[in-house]
Amino acid sequence: MKREIMTHGRADVTLSINELERILDERRSELTGLIKERARLAKKLELLDERIGRLDGFVSGRGGRAHNDHSLMESIEMVLKKAGKPLRVSQIIQAVLAEGYRSHSANFRGIVNQTLIKDARFVPTSRGVYGLHEMVNGISP
């Protein structure tokens, strides 16, 4: 039995059910091969990422995160305690990075700003200057 099928807007191609099944089988076979090839390449890429990570300290190009001993909030808190006074955002960023905090963010300043705004431990003392809540409000650590 022949069936008429649409191919790219044309209805003049007729194929039998056996021919259609053969085409589907060929495509399934090709798909299976491509899935296996992708899995092989993904494993190879994973091994390369591991090697890069051992050399670089993080996984490059795969959304790798820097791993720090302390959270950003803890790092900012330590920097402000060490300074003993409110600091400008740029000074906080420099000090946090100098203390060994690592970030691969393209917008690290924005992340620090959001952290300073959202965390109750930090209070603005003037535009772009933040201190520890406990120090600014006269509570000694």
Side-chain angles (χ1 to χ4, degrees):
M1 170 192 254
K2 296 267 185 182
R3 301 261 173 147
E4 197 170 282
I5 62 166
M6 293 288 292
T7 58
H8 300 288
R10 293 179 44 198
D12 58 351
V13 177
T14 55
L15 297 171
S16 70
I17 298 219
N18 285 340
E19 290 170 323
L20 288 172
E21 287 177 349
R22 181 186 53 76
I23 291 170
L24 285 172
D25 285 343
E26 287 173 0
R27 288 187 175 193
R28 285 185 192 116
S29 176
E30 184 179 0
L31 178 62
T32 300
L34 289 172
I35 290 170
K36 286 180 181 178
E37 177 72 4
R38 181 179 64 188
R40 185 185 68 75
L41 291 171
K43 181 63 179 170
K44 192 172 183 178
L45 184 59
E46 186 179 318
L47 293 171
L48 284 173
D49 283 342
E50 287 175 15
R51 288 177 59 194
I52 290 169
R54 284 192 298 269
L55 295 172
D56 198 17
F58 72 100
V59 180
S60 299
R62 298 266 308 214
R65 282 180 80 142
H67 296 285
N68 294 294
D69 294 334
H70 302 284
S71 71
L72 179 58
M73 291 158 285
E74 292 169 336
S75 296
I76 293 171
E77 184 177 26
M78 288 188 291
V79 161
L80 288 172
K81 279 184 181 178
K82 189 174 181 180
K85 63 179 183 177
L87 297 174
R88 296 189 113 348
V89 174
S90 58
Q91 293 171 312
I92 293 170
I93 293 168
Q94 288 175 345
V96 164
L97 294 173
E99 290 289 324
Y101 189 87
R102 295 186 329 175
S103 173
H104 305 295
S105 171
N107 188 17
F108 186 57
R109 182 181 185 88
I111 293 169
V112 171
N113 276 324
Q114 287 299 310
T115 302
L116 290 166
I117 291 167
K118 290 183 176 185
D119 195 303
R121 288 178 275 192
F122 314 118
V123 293
T125 58
S126 63
R127 184 179 171 98
V129 179
Y130 287 85
L132 283 172
H133 185 271
E134 59 193 35
M135 290 179 169
V136 172
N137 292 321
I139 305 167
S140 61

